[in-house]
Amino acid sequence: MSQTKNFNLPDLGEGLPDATIVEWFVKEGDVIKLDEPLVSMETAKAVVEVPSPFSGKVLKLSGAAGDIIPTGSVLASFELDPNLPQRADGQDTGHSHGHAAPAAAPTPPPLPAATAPVAAEAAKPAAAERDDAGTVVGAMQSSNAVHAEQALAVGGVKAVPAVRAMARKLGVDLSRVAATGTDGAVTMADVKQAAANGTAKLGAAPAPVAAAAYAAPAPAQVSAPVQSEARTPLSAAGKPMRTQPPGVIAKGQPEPLKGVRRNMARVMADAHSKVVPTTLNDDADIHAWLPGNDVTARLVRSIVVAAQKVPAMNAWFDGEALTRTLHAQVDIGIAVDTDDGLFVPALRNADMLDARGIREGVNRLREQVESRSIAASELSGYTISLSNFGMFAGRYATPVVVPPCVAIVGAGRARHQMTPVMGGVEAHKVIPLSVTFDHRAATGGEAARFLRAMMDDLALAS
């Protein structure tokens, strides 16, 4: 008699209660072998490839692409094949299933390092698209587990899970994308280029190859209007609903938050319930700056200077144990805004970096965030954070302090203002600054001295 086994969604090392299905690599009735790709799952940090824990026939898949699966819930059911290799009882799969107590197990074999070139290819165009990324307030928490992405061939197409997720999001057919990555892998840049050109839309008829270079450009196709039900100010539940502005696709019904946004909602709510926030605002006069100053680099340097003068702001606070940890190093969380939500990677040892090192570090972190290749360990452990929301708009803010950090700095949009000087007034350029701190761990005087130290450093010519 054949044996059936259930596979529960493991803890993917993120410390999160759920994950979202991105893509199944099998269907019910298929036969799969041990450790072959089963499904890709999106967590708040990355798109993770989950291998099959068994060899046999797939009896049931619990959920479709886009569904949220709680950690520890049944992900798939299998009918084991005794003629195929199986994992020995008690052998570790490399993931923790559910919330069971940890047990001693042999070290799993290392994953092949086949993705570093692919991740690098995917990250290259990100820096060219814009010199600096807008940022918003907040932070993400994660464990130190690192998951290596592999460019696996599924359906004849070789791509890492993050690239597949982006293709699904942009409506791109990966089988019709010209691959430029290592060993014929489709990169993030390939997918974005295909989406921009409209050459690989899902469901579109394949374009003729012969004489394609000489064909006259075809007129843009105009999609026929989709007939829908009559508009109503009420939702399906009969309650009033808020509509979105023109140009935004609105279904008019609630939808579950997923991945990064889902975790952001949890983190912000947790921070709001624990921190006693107080915000100070002022303007840093940068009239003396010489040409060529990097705004982000100067902001980071000013935070380092201020943190060294006022260590109480470069600290962690445990509200339950009422303990404070002062840090000798300055690791700054750089808030990066993406379409998927908020990421806060850590710029490590910022106190040891010059302007060039800061710029290279920030660019590297941003590229890894946009390609979804950043390690989870890079998204936690910072000692203070920076939100440069002024890249978009806004003068002052009340940025959110996320425990265990004590403080966060917000930088608004630079502007010119009339400044009194000897003999009259001058137009000086200023950067609005906002410093939010946890008043349980730092005094108002410490926060004010920190802000003053930042302003003094930013006032220097270089």
Side-chain angles (χ1 to χ4, degrees), residues 330-355:
V330 183
D331 295 340
I332 301 179
I334 306 294
V336 178
D337 180 52
T338 74
D339 291 340
D340 294 324
L342 175 68
F343 289 81
V344 187
L347 181 66
R348 306 291 182 191
N349 300 308
D351 51 309
M352 300 178 64
L353 301 176
D354 58 10

Side-chain angles (χ1 to χ4, degrees), residues 106-138:
T107 303
L111 292 172
T115 59
V118 178
E121 284 290 328
K124 283 181 181 178
E129 290 175 7
R130 50 184 174 177
D131 291 333
D132 207 349
T135 57
V136 293
V137 297

Side-chain angles (χ1 to χ4, degrees), residues 137-138 267-281 313 317 397-403 405-409 434-444 447:
V137 297
V267 170
M268 293 297 104
D270 181 68
H272 181 71
S273 66
K274 293 180 178 178
V275 175
V276 181
T278 304
T279 303
L280 298 181
N281 308 111
M313 299 289 279
F317 178 70
T398 53
V400 179
V401 176
V402 176
C405 287
V406 169
I408 179 175
V409 175
S434 302
V435 177
T436 296
F437 64 101
D438 189 341
H439 217 323
R440 299 175 301 168
T443 68

